[in-house]
Amino acid sequence: MTADESMDGLAKLVAGLLERTDELANAMAERIRAAASDHGGDCVPLDDLRESCRAELRNILRSLAGQAPLDAEMCIDTGRRRARQNVPEATLLAGYRVGIRFVWELLITEAVATGLVSPEGLVTAASSIWVIQDAMIESTIAGHREATTERLRTTEQERSALVEALLTNRGLDAGTLLATADVLRMPRYGQFVVVAAEVPSVGRHPLARTEQALRRTNIHSVWHLRPDTYVGIVQLTASKQFGQLVEVLEGEAAGRIGVSPAYDDLYHTGSNLWFAKIAMQSGRAGGCPVTVFDDCLVAVAAAAAPEITQRLARNVFGRLDALPRAERDVLLDTLETWMACGGSTEETARRMYCHPNTVRLRFRRISEHTGRSTSEPQGVAELCFALHALRQNPEAAADADHAETAARGE
């Protein structure tokens, strides 16, 4: 049999198969469905699958016989539809391979039964059918990925809008709140905290791996990037999870992070975001990266009213600016260490590698220049607030440098 005769035979064979398209498409659909069921991928309605097999079988056979070029747009449309049906890409690929194998086995069976195609003709057909398979898969996957991207983009935009409404309490009626809870996969009532992390620059994630790290400890969280903060809404289902959350945040932190008090109603997320941001702002650059609102009330209070506390800091520590910078820093560091040691002079001395009498001498110097005593409640309160305010605002240190320079007449 010549090559031309073989091609004519293939055309006649295909013509016969096209007349049986409905019957063959149903058989192909059953084969694909059985293979998908074996792998838990049976998610396309049978009627839809049969119709797709009918159209794709015609597409393959007509292209194989040279009657028409392969209709790539049909494959793209199929890929888009399967994406909308939540068919995984791997399942879609497997289905196409099963379908192409079905067509190849069908050609062999018919060629043997009819004698219309020689073995050499089948080899040529095999080469063509694998080219067809590659083209179909490429087009189908392109459509699937395009539709998946569009769906994810739309879903993310809707999710972002709902989370923003939750964080701002704008337009947050009962229906929106329930929809938001559903999108976040969180209950309306439970135990939640808000996390606020400062961003290094607009649009950059400071905690890119945190959601995955929390998931490994069975903590569910949802994150939302804003221009000035990266915000997390975290659901806690066990008492130990709060400590685990803080531990993960400390391990991932690249800047200051604040954690709100726990609350039991998603509706109050917006107000707790404010608490988390104040806790974040109360943190000291270079210090502990995570500030828990309920654990650092003095620092939080200082951050909540920065204008007032900065004025207090200047009133309390202004006279220290007349001292040499090194002496001023030693006095402030001693006061800060004493606060961290719970007011213990002995522990302060141990941490600063000096004698307790040296600490007492420094306290007298602080009292001389501030008018506040570390042995009086009023004085201690003002010193604590003022020091937190000074540490939170880097410009305060710059002001001190400027004052020292001016005092030396440079």
Side-chain angles (χ1 to χ4, degrees):
M1 185 180 293
T2 66
D4 289 342
E5 290 174 335
S6 185
M7 288 302 298
D8 289 341
L10 180 61
K12 292 178 182 178
L13 186 151
V14 167
L17 294 177
L18 285 170
E19 292 177 357
R20 300 164 51 200
T21 299
D22 289 347
E23 167 202 340
L24 297 174
N26 290 342
M28 179 191 287
E30 293 295 342
R31 177 86 65 86
I32 293 172
R33 192 173 181 84
S37 297
D38 291 341
H39 297 88
D42 184 10
C43 49
V44 178
L46 183 57
D47 289 344
D48 185 341
L49 182 59
R50 285 172 174 166
E51 184 57 38
S52 290
C53 288
R54 192 173 295 113
E56 298 288 12
L57 185 58
R58 289 196 185 100
N59 196 15
I60 294 169
L61 292 174
R62 294 182 68 194
S63 175
L64 192 62
Q67 296 180 8
L70 186 72
D71 187 351
E73 193 61 37
M74 177 189 297
C75 301
I76 292 173
D77 288 342
T78 300
R80 288 173 178 155
R81 189 166 67 256
R82 295 295 177 257
R84 290 192 292 269
Q85 293 169 328
N86 295 319
V87 177
E89 184 177 302
T91 301
L92 185 59
L93 280 172
Y96 263 84
R97 291 192 176 102
V98 170
I100 290 292
R101 190 180 306 117
F102 174 87
V103 173
W104 174 238
E105 292 172 357
L106 181 64
L107 288 175
I108 294 175
T109 301
E110 291 298 310
V112 171
T114 62
L116 291 172
V117 183
S118 66
E120 293 79 5
L122 282 176
V123 171
T124 302
S127 177
S128 298
I129 203 167
W130 303 136
V131 170
I132 289 171
Q133 173 182 274
D134 290 345
M136 292 183 74
I137 287 177
E138 181 179 347
S139 299
T140 304
I141 293 304
H144 187 278
R145 290 178 179 173
E146 178 183 306
T148 299
T149 301
E150 291 174 357
R151 185 182 61 183
L152 290 175
R153 184 183 299 115
T154 300
T155 300
E156 180 57 31
Q157 289 171 345
E158 292 174 349
R159 175 182 177 276
S160 180
L162 289 171
V163 172
E164 189 63 25
L166 184 63
L167 295 174
T168 60
N169 276 355
R170 286 199 296 267
L172 194 63
D173 55 24
T176 303
L177 184 58
L178 289 175
T180 304
D182 184 58
V183 167
L184 302 187
R185 294 185 292 112
M186 291 181 177
R188 163 73 188 271
Y189 301 101
Q191 279 291 106
F192 313 98
V193 295
V194 178
V195 176
E198 61 183 353
V199 298
S201 60
V202 175
R204 289 188 59 192
H205 288 256
L207 298 171
R209 300 174 301 177
T210 301
E211 185 173 359
Q212 292 77 12
L214 290 174
R215 189 180 298 121
R216 287 194 291 271
T217 60
N218 295 317
I219 297 177
H220 176 52
S221 62
V222 174
W223 296 84
H224 180 66
L225 184 62
R226 306 178 99 192
D228 59 341
T229 47
Y230 188 47
V231 180
I233 304 170
V234 183
Q235 180 186 3
L236 304 175
T237 57
S239 57
K240 68 177 181 179
Q241 288 186 334
F242 190 89
Q244 292 174 331
L245 167 65
V246 173
E247 183 178 348
V248 169
L249 293 174
E250 289 176 342
E252 299 289 333
R256 296 182 300 174
I257 299 174
V259 181
S260 77
Y263 59 103
D264 59 8
D265 185 345
L266 272 182
Y267 180 80
H268 299 306
T269 298
S271 58
N272 280 277
L273 170 60
W274 185 81
F275 292 141
K277 290 179 70 173
I278 291 298
M280 177 191 75
Q281 292 162 5
S282 73
R284 177 185 173 186
C288 181
V290 179
T291 302
V292 178
F293 186 95
D294 284 341
D295 292 349
C296 306
L297 295 179
V298 174
V300 166
E307 295 83 3
I308 296 174
T309 52
Q310 284 302 320
R311 183 175 181 84
L312 172 62
R314 300 308 303 160
N315 287 342
V316 171
F317 294 126
R319 290 173 57 190
L320 289 179
D321 293 344
L323 299 174
R325 177 63 185 274
E327 183 179 353
R328 175 182 181 273
D329 287 349
V330 167
L331 294 179
L332 292 176
D333 289 346
T334 301
L335 179 61
E336 185 172 33
T337 305
W338 179 75
M339 289 164 51
C341 293
S344 169
T345 301
E346 287 71 20
E347 180 62 19
T348 302
R350 189 185 68 80
R351 291 194 188 183
M352 301 196 74
Y353 304 100
C354 63
H355 194 276
N357 286 340
T358 302
V359 174
R360 296 184 183 98
L361 178 60
R362 292 173 184 174
F363 284 165
R364 283 199 292 272
R365 294 280 287 160
I366 290 173
S367 296
E368 290 171 4
H369 286 82
T370 65
R372 278 81 176 175
S373 171
T374 56
S375 61
E376 297 177 358
Q378 180 74 19
V380 171
E382 292 182 3
L383 287 169
C384 288
F385 269 98
L387 186 61
H388 277 296
L390 195 63
R391 295 307 198 197
Q392 289 166 11
N393 187 357
E395 294 179 0
D399 290 343
D401 281 339
H402 178 73
E404 181 181 348
T405 301
R408 291 198 303 264
E410 296 178 359

